[in-house]
Amino acid sequence: MADVVDLVVIGYPDEATAEKAYEVVVQLQHDLIMQVAGGAVVAKDADGKAKMVTKTGATSSGAMMGGFFGLLFGLLFLIPVGGLIIGGIMGAVIGTMTGWGIKDDFRQRSQDVLKPGTAALVLFVKKWTEDKALAALSPLGGEVLKTSLSEEATKEIN
């Protein structure tokens, strides 16, 4: 059985703070405190328009997994993903999110964290020493949301 993958969303007051948190995560990976399968900073401007900023090395190698993470982040935060999200595709991906253990209340709380003018760091954490990681991130503040993905999702990410 694969280790459980956690989906972690940390809300910050601005994009700069979320970017600093990402840099802390990079260091935590280097120090072997975290192993992240994918991650990105998601920001919402003052007009309420969300954008995803994917960092180099933040997502798994391979365009397919990177694209999948992008689509998942888009659906989690209602970021438009061009012509990809139409009818059946959107329904199938939302169904996949439910099958992956991402419940509607977590999705709603994630959207509530991302208010206009704020940002969030979104991570798929494969392994971590949670107390050490959160202690390293705590000086930046932020609201932490966490859910564990289903065994099916974990197998797909691993």
Side-chain angles (χ1 to χ4, degrees):
M1 183 170 118
D3 292 326
V4 173
V5 173
D6 291 325
L7 172 58
V8 179
V9 177
I10 308 173
Y12 291 103
D14 54 51
E15 188 175 342
T17 306
E19 299 260 356
K20 287 178 190 170
Y22 172 81
E23 295 303 324
V24 171
V25 169
V26 169
Q27 184 60 48
L28 291 170
Q29 288 187 95
H30 178 74
D31 295 342
L32 304 177
I33 293 171
M34 293 182 86
Q35 183 182 0
V36 178
V41 170
V42 179
K44 191 174 270 192
D45 65 21
D47 295 329
K49 184 177 178 187
K51 68 174 181 172
M52 183 179 69
V53 182
T54 303
K55 300 295 185 178
T56 304
T59 57
S60 275
S61 59
M64 183 185 283
M65 280 307 272
F68 177 77
F69 285 137
L71 186 58
L72 186 58
F73 293 150
L75 287 173
L76 187 63
F77 293 104
L78 303 176
I79 299 171
V81 188
L84 289 178
I85 300 179
I86 55 174
I89 294 174
M90 186 170 177
V93 175
I94 288 174
T96 298
M97 288 179 73
T98 301
W100 275 34
I102 302 172
K103 301 202 178 351
D104 288 339
D105 66 322
F106 182 84
R107 194 168 39 230
Q108 185 60 54
R109 289 187 348 224
S110 298
Q111 291 170 13
D112 291 346
V113 162
L114 195 62
K115 295 175 177 50
T118 68
L121 176 61
V122 183
L123 303 167
F124 285 95
V125 182
K126 292 172 79 169
K127 293 181 183 178
W128 62 332
T129 306
E130 188 173 347
D131 59 337
K132 288 183 181 181
L134 293 177
L137 289 163
S138 69
L140 297 170
E143 181 178 347
V144 179
L145 304 175
K146 181 185 99 168
T147 190
S148 295
L149 299 179
S150 69
E151 188 174 327
E152 175 187 328
T154 296
K155 285 178 186 174
E156 196 156 328
I157 289 174
N158 286 323

